[in-house]
Amino acid sequence: MTPFMTRVAELVGTHPDAVPPAAGAGTTMPQTRLSTRVDTGTGADRHVALRSLTEQYVCEANAVLGSDHTHLDLVDEPLPDELAFSVTFGDHAVRCSTRFVDGRAYGRLVGDVVEDDEPRELESADAVPDLLVRLLEAEIAPPSMPASA
């Protein structure tokens, strides 16, 4: 198994040394940066690298999840002037997009596992494993509800 597959196996409890996650234990946050406009070639190159690596990691995670769990879904969105895809798991989703406007590209990461109101993008494709683990954590170990008064 790859290191990413081991992380997923530990999270879902299929690894021999796994400890079930505690409620609210979701602490994995992918490295992001504020979205900036870059030239279209750089933006397209970044997006294709991100999309390709995401597909690899989704396949690895789904292999670990097996038939006992819901699988991650990767959906491409064919849009004019934008490259985009979403990854979903249960009730949670994250969307990665790159818009092309006036000769510039603008990356954007949105979803219920992204905890910032400012437009952000992944720091690099190296942040994909943390993003996917965060998506899994959000569904498997949802935050605990505050006690009512």
Side-chain angles (χ1 to χ4, degrees):
M1 278 202 298
T2 66
F4 175 70
M5 292 172 83
T6 300
R7 284 178 70 187
V8 172
E10 289 172 349
L11 178 65
V12 299
T14 60
H15 191 273
D17 300 327
V19 175
T27 57
T28 301
M29 292 305 297
Q31 293 294 309
T32 63
R33 63 175 172 235
L34 289 175
S35 297
T36 58
R37 295 188 189 284
V38 297
D39 66 80
T40 57
T42 299
D45 185 57
R46 285 180 184 172
H47 187 86
V48 169
L50 179 65
R51 167 59 178 79
S52 297
L53 195 57
T54 299
E55 182 174 13
Q56 174 188 331
Y57 284 123
V58 164
C59 290
E60 288 183 15
N62 286 341
V64 171
L65 293 169
S67 61
D68 295 338
H69 295 279
T70 301
H71 284 165
L72 289 163
D73 288 318
L74 176 62
V75 180
D76 290 305
E77 300 176 38
L79 301 167
D81 302 322
E82 184 175 14
L83 296 172
F85 65 89
S86 296
V87 180
T88 61
F89 185 70
D91 293 332
H92 299 278
V94 65
R95 182 176 189 268
C96 301
S97 67
T98 303
R99 290 204 59 201
F100 301 95
V101 179
D102 298 326
R104 306 296 282 171
Y106 187 74
R108 185 85 191 265
L109 178 67
V110 295
D112 52 337
V113 300
V114 180
E115 298 178 354
D116 198 332
D117 293 333
E118 296 288 324
R120 301 197 70 81
E121 60 188 341
L122 288 177
E123 179 69 34
S124 70
D126 292 337
V128 171
D130 288 339
L131 178 66
L132 296 180
V133 167
R134 179 69 185 113
L135 190 61
L136 292 167
E137 286 175 339
E139 183 72 18
I140 293 170
S144 56
M145 298 296 292
S148 57

